[in-house]
Amino acid sequence: MGTFEPGAFVRLRLGGKTMVVKHPSTTSQLPDTLLILCEYRAKNRLVQGFYTARDLILAPWDQSRERS
């Protein structure tokens, strides 16, 4: 998974929402994948997506973002 550890806050290089990296055990359907599972909340929903490491950067943690 490179520098993105589970629980780390990341965002897309070109901007976007702050997301949380999920543990690789939750990606059991995709063994040996280079994609990183991330999730965030939007309009009272949990949104998950797979991203390549080159498209993500570490984001500073901000409590106010977590509540929205």
Side-chain angles (χ1 to χ4, degrees):
M1 193 183 271
T3 60
F4 303 109
E5 298 296 323
F9 288 88
V10 295
R11 68 176 180 84
L12 293 172
R13 285 192 180 275
L14 299 175
K17 294 236 179 236
T18 300
M19 304 176 281
V20 177
V21 176
K22 297 307 291 180
H23 195 274
S25 67
T26 59
T27 60
S28 59
Q29 289 98 6
L30 295 173
D32 301 327
T33 183
L34 297 177
L35 297 175
I36 299 170
L37 176 62
C38 299
E39 69 179 24
Y40 65 93
R41 287 215 165 266
K43 296 184 180 179
N44 298 324
R45 305 178 285 175
L46 187 62
V47 180
Q48 295 182 332
F50 290 95
Y51 302 91
T52 60
R54 70 172 183 250
D55 291 337
L56 298 173
I57 59 173
L58 289 175
W61 181 70
D62 183 4
Q63 280 185 325
S64 63
R65 290 182 184 170
E66 197 171 284
R67 291 185 187 130
S68 52

